[in-house]
Amino acid sequence: MDGVNGLVSGYILSILIILNLIMLKINNTFYYNNLILVFLVFYIFNIFGKSFFGDNGIYISSILIAFLVINIINTNRDISPIIAITLLWYPAIENLFTIMRRLFKKKLTYLPDKLHLHSLIFRTLNLSFKSLPKKFQNTLTGLIINIFLIPNFIFTYLYYDKSYYLAGIILVYIFIYLISFNLLLKNNSKI
């Protein structure tokens, strides 16, 4: 997911904000103000192409988010453990789907390709809006995916303690992901 301006940083920022709002709802306390501020500043620089995570930044951020989510679930019995999946389904499905797609086509799973959802959105923007600079198309790709995920985060906040609702939203989003991927793949193969 790295390489698309604002995608990972916006995703992590969204997770931190939702976790903070849930903790405010439960304990009446903000927990991650400084961390949110750091990621907000990074996000602003990232969407303008002035800073990047790189592989090491992604790994460190992933470990940090995983630790925070696990810690919140373990210390608050009011929160459904399914919230971890609801918050982290997108990168997990992106990776799992990529591995499955490559295995199905008998390709090496560790070699990069341009058949990720964000790659297909970028290519569609590139073909549809050729006059826009590539840097703007790159940032717009990240914004499109993060905007698409906003209802997921809102639903997670509203139903943080209801496992069945959270499981339902995960299934709906995975279904939408697969449909979107296939539609974008067909549209890109026609051009």
Side-chain angles (χ1 to χ4, degrees):
M1 291 173 32
D2 192 27
V4 176
N5 295 343
L7 180 56
V8 175
S9 56
Y11 190 76
I12 291 171
L13 184 60
S14 298
I15 291 172
L16 289 172
I17 290 169
I18 291 304
L19 289 175
N20 217 9
L21 289 173
I22 290 170
M23 295 312 297
L24 179 64
K25 196 174 191 180
I26 292 173
N27 298 333
N28 219 14
T29 308
F30 281 120
Y31 282 88
Y32 307 115
N33 289 338
N34 293 335
L35 198 53
I36 288 172
L37 184 61
V38 167
F39 275 96
L40 178 62
V41 169
F42 184 84
Y43 175 71
I44 292 168
F45 282 104
N46 187 229
I47 61 173
F48 291 108
K50 302 296 181 192
S51 63
F52 305 99
F53 272 118
D55 288 342
N56 290 332
I58 296 288
Y59 298 146
I60 291 168
S61 299
S62 299
I63 291 168
L64 175 68
I65 292 299
F67 174 77
L68 292 176
V69 170
I70 291 168
N71 187 44
I72 284 176
I73 291 169
N74 285 338
T75 57
N76 296 285
R77 296 291 172 201
D78 295 332
I79 297 176
S80 169
I82 305 294
I83 199 171
I85 302 167
T86 310
L87 292 172
L88 302 170
W89 74 267
Y90 175 67
I93 289 300
E94 181 74 41
N95 284 320
L96 179 63
F97 184 64
T98 298
I99 291 167
M100 298 302 288
R101 177 177 42 80
R102 291 175 183 167
L103 285 173
F104 182 72
K105 293 191 176 202
K106 298 184 182 353
K107 294 189 177 187
L108 297 174
T109 57
Y110 55 85
L111 293 178
D113 63 18
K114 302 263 185 203
L115 294 176
H116 301 280
L117 183 65
H118 60 273
S119 301
L120 295 172
I121 292 171
F122 178 77
R123 193 175 322 147
T124 300
L125 289 172
N126 189 22
L127 295 170
S128 301
F129 303 103
K130 292 180 182 182
S131 61
L132 290 176
K134 292 227 188 275
K135 191 184 231 182
F136 182 74
Q137 292 172 4
N138 185 308
T139 300
L140 190 56
T141 300
L143 288 173
I144 288 169
I145 293 173
N146 281 318
I147 288 169
F148 163 73
L149 292 169
I150 288 173
N152 176 67
F153 290 121
I154 292 171
F155 199 87
T156 301
Y157 168 72
L158 293 174
Y159 300 104
Y160 67 89
D161 57 344
K162 297 186 176 42
S163 296
Y164 289 113
Y165 291 170
L166 295 174
I169 194 67
I170 294 164
L171 293 174
V172 167
Y173 260 95
I174 291 172
F175 182 71
I176 293 169
Y177 173 91
L178 294 172
I179 289 173
S180 302
F181 179 87
N182 285 319
L183 289 173
L184 287 167
L185 187 62
K186 284 180 185 175
N187 286 341
N188 279 287
S189 65
K190 289 178 185 176
I191 300 172

